[in-house]
Amino acid sequence: MKKLIFLLVLSAAPAFAGEAPPLDPSEEFAGGEGSTSDFSMQAFSHPASGTRGELRREFSVGNSFFNTVWVTSPSSTTLRDGLGPVFNAVSCSSCHFKDGRGRGLPDTDGRVDVSLLFRLRQKLGEREVIPHPSYGGQFQPNSILGVTGEGEVHVSYQRIAVSYSDGTLTELLKPVYQFIKLNFGPMLDTIASPRVAPQMIGLGLVEAIEEKDILSKEDPLDLDGDGISGRANRVFSVEHQAPRLGRFGWKAGKPSLLEQNAAAFNGDIGITSSLFPVEDCTSAQPDCQREQTQDDIDRVRLQQVTTYTQLLAVPVRRDFTNPRVIAGRATFHEINCTSCHTPSYVTSSNAPHEVLKNQRVYPYSDFLLHDMGDDLADDVEDFANEDLATTREWRTPPLWGNGLVPTVNGHSRYLHDGRARSLEEAILWHGGEGQKSKAAFTNLSKTERENLILFLESL
Ligand code: HEC
Ligand code: HEC
Ligand SMILES: [Ca+2]
Ligand SMILES: [Ca+2]
Ligand SMILES: [Ca+2]
């Protein structure tokens, strides 16, 4: 009798960690009410449905600046001049092609793609790390006429063998970067952190997640002992002149879309603004310093681009009720992928636009930093690298839209530098805090693995 009561109590208990909650119809609309049902090559390029009137016009103007090809100043087209002196690309969309994700890496040894950029730091002695004295905070291969570009980045690959418990063998390609044709001397003691352009969808919803909902998942000392110690990045906001929670970028280095966009204009294209008024030219680069330009983009246009990046819609889930996708979803919970890839949030009622307010959304991210192990680290040594983020830490990326990257961008490359050639490889690269989940993945049967991938493709 006693035993029976005990069992009843157990079965009435809430789902324990690892057990998937029942499928909720809202999951189909990953980006809330504004989700788009276009699954074509344009899937990432729509404003949240319901965007009308003045806001729709602002989205369109922002869209045109996102696609604008910037030219050298002075020019008769003053609305789009100020390119460089050094730069990675001439438009936002040359890296975020179709508002999507860059490829980053070539299939075989050679020059890296324009969409892969490198943030630079120099190690000084034991700990201290500063922007590189010769090459600045970012490596820009390109330059305007009369100014010297910084050089080229090439990649070669090391093969890493991986085996599954069922005997299946596969191979990962680890990129090894070479900086060549360097115009400002050798890069000594340099940490070069590779970053590929991610897809642009749902970013306004990410910005609308309440800070407390992100901070509540922090566990820096791993007090609950599950091996996961996510922590928030806290970064200096140039807009507020104060520390803020970092949310955007592969290391959560930027606190808002406005600052992320202004930093992209500055570092990637050489377009200065009131937020980032100084070009990335060092004292080793006198011609770059001489050709600096000021106020290349004004606050109004910066805001239009920001509105654009806030409103890009998340696609509705595909094959949402397919039994194999549902089985994959269960496995995703069972092997604790959810301990970092937090399924869902309700956005704030204070978001700047109606379609972003009070939305139940499914980004599958905790937006916290995790130590992802040696193989993904920027450097063999553990240094602070972007505000609080270290060389080994990466922000859990949202998983929405990943299944449509092949349709939109014609490749299936994932992770911070595009090294994973498939979603499966992306999982196999997980180390550090992600090691346990990765190991559990390699212990699954072939069918279970395929179902999990089908689930990821449906996001
Ligand atoms: C040279 C390629 C390149 C260009 C050009 C570029 N980006 Fe990016 N973008 C990136 C990379 C790489 C990241 C990730 C940055 C990081 O991790 O710090 C990124 C990240 C972002 C993010 C944050 C996305 C997220 O998921 O957190 C936004 C927003 C963004 N870019 C907007 C823009 C805008 C607006 C422009 C044009 C002004 C632009 N980008 C130009 C490569 C590029
Ligand atoms: C410890 C936290 C953690 C756990 C657990 C975890 N992930 Fe991740 N995941 C990350 C981080 C951080 C990245 C980004 C790493 C990078 O780019 O170097 C990532 C990247 C990914 C990506 C690529 C996303 C992209 O945009 O490129 C996929 C797919 C993914 N994870 C799936 C999974 C699956 C499936 C599981 C369970 C087997 C899992 N993850 C478990 C933290 C985690
Ligand atoms: Ca400029
Ligand atoms: Ca530079
Ligand atoms: Ca923990």
Side-chain angles (χ1 to χ4, degrees), residues 82-85 269-272 279 291-294 296:
L83 175 68
I269 312 183
I271 299 300
T272 51
E279 317 264 17
E291 298 294 331
Q292 292 197 56
T293 50
Q294 274 177 341
D296 296 330

Side-chain angles (χ1 to χ4, degrees), residues 296-313:
D296 296 330
I297 189 168
D298 64 29
R299 198 58 188 256
V300 174
R301 280 179 286 153
L302 202 51
Q303 184 54 51
Q304 288 161 334
V305 174
T306 298
T307 301
Y308 173 71
T309 59
Q310 283 169 330
L311 290 172
L312 283 166

Side-chain angles (χ1 to χ4, degrees), residues 316-391:
V316 170
R317 295 266 310 274
R318 285 81 53 217
D319 298 321
F320 169 68
T321 52
N322 178 325
R324 295 194 62 185
V325 169
I326 293 174
R329 175 183 175 277
T331 302
F332 187 80
H333 283 260
E334 276 155 24
I335 64 176
N336 292 320
C337 305
T338 48
S339 48
C340 302
H341 294 283
T342 308
S344 168
Y345 299 83
V346 176
T347 61
S348 163
S349 52
N350 293 321
H353 308 300
E354 283 308 316
V355 284
L356 304 177
K357 289 181 186 170
N358 306 313
Q359 297 297 310
R360 161 74 56 194
V361 295
Y362 291 84
Y364 289 93
S365 172
D366 58 8
F367 303 100
L368 296 175
L369 299 170
H370 296 277
D371 180 333
M372 294 300 285
D374 289 339
D375 279 331
L376 288 174
D378 291 327
D379 199 84
V380 287
E381 288 178 89
D382 193 17
F383 273 93
N385 196 15
E386 188 161 344
D387 298 283
L388 297 187
T390 70
T391 42

